[in-house]
Amino acid sequence: MIEGAIWRKWVFFYVPMALFLLFLLFPFYWMVITSVGELYRPWNSINYNPFWTWKPTWDHVRYLFEETLFASWLWNTTFIALASTAISLVCGVFAGYALSRLNFPFAGSLGTGIFITYLVPQTLLFIPLAEIIRNYRLGDTPWSLILTYPTFLIPFCTWLMMGYFKAVPRELEECARIDGASRWQAMLYIVIPVAIPGILSAGIFAFTLSWNEFIYALVFLSSPAQKTVSVGVTSELIRGDVFFWGPLMAGALLGSIPVAIAYSFFVEHYVAGLTGSVKG
Amino acid sequence: MGQVVLKGINKFYESVHAVKDVNLQIRDKEFVVFVGPSGCGKTTTLRMIAGLEAISSGDISIDGNVINALAPMDRDIAMVFQNYALYPHMSVYDNMAFGLKMRKFERREIEKRVREAADILGIGELLKRKPRQLSGGQRQRVALGRAIVRHPRVFLFDEPLSNLDAKLRVQMRVELKKLHLRLGTTAIYVTHDQVEAMTLGDRVVVMKDGVVQQVGEPLELYNQPANKFVAGFIGSPAMNFATVTVTEADGSLIAENSGLRIKLPDEIAQRLRGHVGREVILGVRPEDLTVASSADLDHPCFDAVIEVVEQLGSEILLDMKVGESNMVASVEPTARVRVADKLRVAMRRSRLHVFDAQTEAAI
Ligand SMILES: Nc1ncnc2c1ncn2[C@@H]1O[C@H](COP(=O)(O)OP(=O)(O)OP(=O)(O)O)[C@@H](O)[C@H]1O
Ligand SMILES: [Mg+2]
């Protein structure tokens, strides 16, 4: 090893890394402490410390499940996220395949067009979408979100899959077609299995995006029982200018756990998908 | 049976005319090699035979049936790709069985054929592995195995050996030849390596810029190249060329340029009668040049200065300056030569080639 390499490693790697982690994880720490700690009441706690609690309590979590509709919100969010992810993945995989592999007229400009739709901000798009949702009488149902989330998820998945399919060697498919597979079979048996890491990454991204989505959920859902976690927690636990910090943080924490699980569960595939490693 | 006929094949990619009017008859059981420099249209031709690329005009037929419109799967061919194209998510066994499964063969028949092919190729122990757990040579064998289990009418190979290291390439080349002798299936093989072409091919097709330059048996190409391009492409080190002017003196023909003045042997002189006073290109292979001794008096000779000596063990390559131009000679390993030596070099007179200076066709 080179002289001085050890302190160098500390200065340039471990210390910055630790600071970075601290910076990133602090909000979660704050969430945990707030959701299990007692509420700040200046009149009965003399040496109160917001960074630590001596009397952890489940009160806030219990409040969340007993006094609010948090369980339904959780269920709504899961259902909506899974359904819209499934729809978007299926469309995205097929569209990505078509755009990257089939030579049809305007394939290139179509791909760019799809990308542009992804760039239209949701904050603009929700106005016309609200009109459509109203016309089809979908307001205040999960379908209003399951059908609108794909407007940004499909372009996203399509682009991700396009890039991924382009990295799958063309010869694999050609060889399959010489071997006796139809174009459809070659896609089903060869290209899609090889692209599984890419499909998983697209799925995780899509799931996270729809899980965390806020604007559409806020606009299209009105009754408390229909809400998703992100909207439910913020609208039902902030009443006027009173913030119920404990349940609010408990809700946020519980709401982020499924995403965290989804990430860590698929992280192996997910990383492989991002680096696009297809070995021949 | 596996008789392939190409009739007036053309391929256009938008403005690029990649393959120009290729006509070829490939006999059953023949091993035909397409060879040529990069971008000459070899792969394109092969892919048109495979059905992976549409034919712009012309007809391809196998055993008398035109197959222009058939899908790749219906042509009864098998192809081995340069990067092997093994299915990465399948075991070696499944890779080889895939084509048979797609064609709805019975389980037992599939197993029998895969075992058989694995035995021929010596990959019996690898059947459970995934492609990424194999070495380059092993992958190559699996790719071959996948092609032979199907018992197709025609094998297509696109530079299958070019990803292997030099030693393995030579070894696989021999195995391919053996495999062909054993199976007797018609094979069409694409390479840019003229040694592969010469050693593997029953017949060799030399292409350049999408045009077939010459079709013939390896020795035919070597001994009677149809034009300067084929002459320079076949053989290593490449043939020496010198532009010379033909003049007549004392009833015999003389070829000369700034550093060279040789009397042309009669058999060539006859062919050059019409070219007196004009320029032609003289070609002679390095192995047909020798250090002149008293026995070589009736061979054309010239003077040269040695610039580089390359000892190969089995031969010595001499890079020589002849007048303004350079020539390479391949001489006996026992020759005593040093850099800057002046030499008298003899050409084996029966081995001289002459080409038209304009058309570059052999005269
Ligand atoms: N899809 C394509 N679109 C446009 N031009 C192409 C395409 N494929 C090949 N070409 C052109 O056609 C010509 C022949 O290409 P081809 O791949 O057949 O060459 P090759 O002889 O196989 O060369 P190499 O030895 O490098 O593989 C080249 O000029 C190439 O640029
Ligand atoms: Mg090629």
Side-chain angles (χ1 to χ4, degrees):
Chain A
M1 212 180 236
I2 313 161
E3 194 86 0
I6 292 175
W7 70 261
R8 252 168 218 277
K9 200 156 188 192
W10 273 95
V11 168
F12 292 115
F13 183 73
Y14 291 122
V15 172
M17 191 70 167
L19 289 175
F20 191 62
L21 269 182
L22 207 67
F23 179 73
L24 282 183
L25 289 180
F26 183 75
F28 287 92
Y29 174 74
W30 189 254
M31 247 155 57
V32 173
I33 288 300
T34 316
S35 57
V36 301
E38 54 184 325
L39 271 190
Y40 174 48
R41 294 197 176 80
W43 54 91
N44 64 9
S45 55
I46 298 125
N47 42 12
Y48 175 76
N49 178 357
F51 294 103
W52 192 245
T53 176
W54 294 109
K55 283 182 260 167
T57 160
W58 291 110
D59 284 354
H60 304 312
V61 178
R62 203 174 302 130
Y63 177 87
L64 204 59
F65 281 98
E66 284 170 4
E67 305 295 319
T68 72
L69 292 164
F70 188 75
S72 341
W73 300 339
L74 216 50
W75 160 249
N76 290 342
T77 317
T78 313
F79 174 61
I80 290 168
L82 285 180
S84 53
T85 301
I87 294 175
S88 316
L89 260 193
V90 171
C91 296
V93 165
F94 286 129
Y97 177 86
L99 287 173
S100 66
R101 279 300 157 85
L102 309 180
N103 291 320
F104 54 91
F106 307 117
S109 31
L110 198 63
T112 318
I114 287 178
F115 188 58
I116 287 173
T117 64
Y118 181 62
L119 296 180
V120 178
Q122 286 174 37
T123 37
L124 287 181
L125 214 53
F126 84 86
I127 302 169
L129 277 179
E131 183 72 14
I132 295 171
I133 293 293
R134 200 171 55 83
N135 285 346
Y136 285 92
R137 298 178 200 289
L138 291 173
D140 209 24
T141 67
W143 296 104
S144 61
L145 298 187
I146 292 174
L147 295 179
T148 46
Y149 284 176
T151 55
F152 58 89
L153 292 183
I154 289 178
F156 176 79
C157 290
T158 304
W159 264 76
L160 214 86
M161 290 320 299
M162 237 169 94
Y164 206 83
F165 283 134
K166 274 190 184 142
V168 175
R170 208 172 250 279
E171 287 89 351
L172 281 187
E173 203 180 342
E174 291 175 342
C175 193
R177 289 179 56 210
I178 291 178
D179 263 350
S182 63
R183 178 141 227 163
W184 180 253
Q185 285 172 318
M187 184 178 81
L188 226 53
Y189 295 134
I190 305 296
V191 181
I192 289 189
V194 169
I196 287 275
I199 296 176
L200 277 182
S201 355
I204 289 172
F205 271 120
F207 181 79
T208 314
L209 282 177
S210 38
W211 186 278
N212 294 337
E213 206 283 334
F214 187 76
I215 295 177
Y216 290 177
L218 182 71
V219 176
F220 299 150
L221 303 176
S222 43
S223 56
Q226 294 291 346
K227 286 184 176 169
T228 61
V229 170
S230 55
V231 175
V233 165
T234 43
S235 64
E236 304 295 319
L237 292 171
I238 304 172
R239 306 204 183 117
D241 59 352
V242 184
F243 287 69
F244 291 76
W245 280 119
L248 199 57
M249 284 303 167
L253 190 67
L254 291 177
S256 52
I257 284 174
V259 176
I261 290 176
Y263 266 102
S264 52
F265 185 67
F266 290 118
V267 84
E268 218 170 297
H269 291 297
Y270 166 75
V271 172
L274 281 188
T275 51
S277 65
V278 180
K279 295 217 177 95
Chain B
M1 284 294 282
Q3 186 189 42
V4 182
V5 178
L6 310 186
K7 205 182 284 169
I9 298 296
N10 279 286
K11 178 68 189 180
F12 294 91
Y13 289 111
E14 277 125 42
S15 60
V16 185
H17 195 171
V19 173
K20 295 170 193 157
D21 193 33
V22 171
N23 289 286
L24 189 64
Q25 298 212 11
I26 298 168
R27 294 185 281 268
D28 185 34
K29 299 195 194 324
E30 198 174 21
F31 200 122
V32 167
V33 179
F34 280 76
V35 67
S38 191
C40 70
K42 315 177 290 283
T43 299
T44 307
T45 310
L46 197 73
R47 288 170 59 85
M48 285 193 287
I49 300 173
L52 297 172
E53 207 79 64
I55 305 166
S56 301
S57 71
D59 284 327
I60 297 182
S61 43
I62 298 184
D63 294 338
N65 306 317
V66 176
I67 56 162
N68 291 7
L70 284 188
M73 60 187 284
D74 298 322
R75 298 190 177 197
D76 203 9
I77 48 163
M79 184 155 168
V80 177
F81 291 84
Q82 179 173 357
N83 60 3
Y84 317 140
L86 299 181
Y87 311 131
H89 57 298
M90 294 184 188
S91 67
V92 168
Y93 181 92
D94 289 333
N95 261 282
M96 288 166 68
F98 182 77
L100 300 174
K101 280 182 189 159
M102 284 290 114
R103 283 159 208 271
K104 307 252 183 319
F105 275 75
E106 267 179 45
R107 268 263 313 277
R108 225 172 317 117
E109 174 69 9
I110 294 180
E111 194 155 335
K112 190 180 133 242
R113 286 202 189 183
V114 171
R115 294 259 162 233
E116 201 177 71
D119 284 344
I120 294 178
L121 295 163
I123 50 173
E125 315 86 81
L126 306 177
L127 290 177
K128 289 207 175 62
R129 296 219 203 148
K130 288 279 172 64
R132 66 171 172 277
Q133 298 164 316
L134 301 177
S135 72
Q138 290 168 333
R139 287 181 200 185
Q140 178 63 68
R141 279 165 216 270
V142 176
L144 284 176
R146 191 170 54 178
I148 66 181
V149 290
R150 293 231 332 266
H151 303 330
R153 283 190 292 187
V154 184
F155 284 133
L156 305 177
F157 299 98
D158 190 1
E159 311 210 18
L161 303 185
S162 59
N163 282 356
L164 301 177
D165 66 59
K167 206 168 167 193
L168 201 52
R169 199 178 310 163
V170 175
Q171 187 189 333
M172 285 305 292
R173 200 170 73 202
V174 176
E175 286 195 28
L176 260 177
K177 189 77 190 172
K178 280 191 202 156
L179 194 66
H180 178 251
L181 291 174
R182 175 170 181 166
L183 300 176
T185 310
T186 310
I188 306 177
Y189 187 104
V190 160
T191 178
H192 59 259
D193 179 353
Q194 56 95 16
V195 179
E196 263 173 42
M198 297 289 281
T199 51
L200 282 174
D202 295 328
R203 279 195 302 160
V204 176
V205 180
V206 183
M207 287 183 81
K208 179 195 169 198
D209 297 336
V211 180
V212 172
Q213 304 289 312
Q214 189 173 4
V215 182
E217 289 168 15
L219 280 184
E220 198 179 327
L221 300 188
Y222 180 82
N223 291 327
Q224 294 131 35
N227 58 36
K228 186 184 167 210
F229 175 79
V230 176
F233 195 80
I234 301 290
S236 168
M239 186 184 278
N240 298 298
F241 296 106
T243 307
V244 293
T245 313
V246 181
T247 52
E248 191 162 9
D250 309 337
S252 54
L253 291 190
I254 307 286
E256 66 182 331
N257 66 13
S258 58
L260 204 65
R261 183 185 163 84
I262 58 172
K263 181 167 161 278
L264 288 169
D266 292 343
E267 57 271 29
I268 289 178
Q270 276 172 9
R271 283 185 261 151
L272 286 179
R273 284 284 164 217
H275 289 73
V276 174
R278 285 202 273 155
E279 286 195 330
V280 296
I281 298 167
L282 199 64
V284 59
R285 295 194 182 277
E287 50 272 38
D288 296 327
L289 294 176
T290 52
V291 181
S293 64
S294 49
D296 293 320
L297 286 180
D298 56 340
H299 290 290
C301 293
F302 59 90
D303 290 316
V305 181
I306 299 179
E307 290 194 314
V308 178
V309 176
E310 295 175 272
Q311 252 304 351
L312 299 185
S314 60
E315 58 185 333
I316 301 176
L317 297 185
L318 304 178
D319 284 44
M320 310 175 298
K321 190 113 201 153
V322 181
E324 310 281 86
S325 55
N326 286 298
M327 284 205 183
V328 178
S330 158
V331 300
E332 292 288 301
T334 50
R336 300 243 151 263
V337 285
R338 269 173 317 173
V339 173
D341 277 0
K342 284 211 174 67
L343 273 190
R344 188 136 182 93
V345 179
M347 299 170 167
R348 285 170 60 190
R349 67 174 203 208
S350 59
R351 314 280 310 179
L352 280 179
H353 302 268
V354 274
F355 306 98
D356 190 292
Q358 265 75 51
T359 63
E360 299 196 341
I363 301 171

